[in-house]
Amino acid sequence: MEKRILGIDPGLAIVGFGAINWQKSVNSANKAQEIKIQMIDFGVIRTHADMEMSERLCILFDDLNTLMEEIQPDLVAIEKLFFYRMANTIVVAQARGVLMLVLGQRKLPYVEFAPPQIKQALTNYGKADKTEVQEAVMRELDLDEIPRPDDAADALAVALTASFQL
């Protein structure tokens, strides 16, 4: 069985994305299961603060649709909103709404994880710091260095969290 998982770290200025391929095979001789996880791609979608909100949301809509076309995910994993400043939360919620619209139009299944769930899945500690999570991403995907920018590494962490649940 094989699944392509797209992780998304939502935002208005920066949306992080990270795509992985998850594959499970069964050895016919000893019935042992083997799971392989490979990174496909990662990066960010950016909008600029000097643009009108409607223009920024249109850019997100167009770029997220392009991303879905390129990656062709079987499952999308999204980091849940983390409330720390109400003004920031509202604009991120608007950007997240665009993401949900794109997923709804494409009828793509999705799962959501809160930041402590992601930290727990990758480090076995729900209050792990950002560096610990990024190092776990690097280790799990057998990478030579931590993916940059941080938003892309966070998105890969979300995708990995979803893969651990398959």
Side-chain angles (χ1 to χ4, degrees):
M1 180 165 73
E2 194 168 335
K3 292 234 184 231
R4 186 169 285 205
I5 304 168
L6 176 62
I8 300 282
D9 180 20
L12 179 63
I14 302 174
V15 174
F17 68 87
I20 61 172
N21 194 58
W22 176 91
Q23 186 176 10
K24 179 170 82 171
S25 57
V26 179
N27 184 321
S28 57
N30 62 8
K31 305 286 186 214
Q33 292 185 6
E34 182 182 0
I35 294 177
K36 291 181 184 175
I37 300 174
Q38 288 183 300
M39 185 188 63
I40 298 169
D41 194 10
F42 67 89
V44 295
I45 298 169
R46 294 182 191 271
T47 68
H48 299 284
D50 60 348
M51 300 170 136
E52 293 290 327
M53 175 61 80
S54 58
E55 187 179 2
R56 294 174 86 178
L57 295 175
C58 283
I59 288 169
L60 290 179
F61 180 81
D62 291 342
D63 287 359
L64 285 167
N65 269 303
T66 299
L67 182 65
M68 298 301 161
E69 283 294 320
E70 290 174 1
I71 301 296
Q72 296 287 310
D74 299 304
L75 176 67
V76 178
I78 307 164
E79 184 173 337
K80 283 185 181 177
L81 285 180
F82 180 72
F83 297 92
Y84 61 95
R85 283 193 344 242
M86 186 53 74
N88 189 50
T89 301
I90 290 169
V91 296
V92 173
Q94 290 174 313
R96 190 176 181 285
V98 170
L99 168 62
M100 300 309 287
L101 174 63
V102 169
L103 296 179
Q105 287 179 329
R106 293 173 172 275
K107 296 181 178 29
L108 282 169
Y110 67 92
V111 292
E112 299 176 276
F113 301 102
Q117 290 175 291
I118 297 164
K119 293 173 181 181
Q120 180 70 37
L122 287 162
T123 69
N124 291 319
Y125 180 57
K127 294 182 180 180
D129 66 29
K130 193 176 248 335
T131 304
E132 291 173 293
V133 174
Q134 291 172 342
E135 288 171 354
V137 166
M138 186 176 74
R139 205 172 33 256
E140 288 292 331
L141 294 173
D142 196 26
L143 304 174
D144 294 331
E145 57 189 32
I146 293 171
R148 296 284 181 222
D150 289 352
D151 306 271
D154 292 347
L156 285 167
V158 178
L160 283 166
T161 300
S163 77
F164 297 157
Q165 310 232 332
L166 295 177

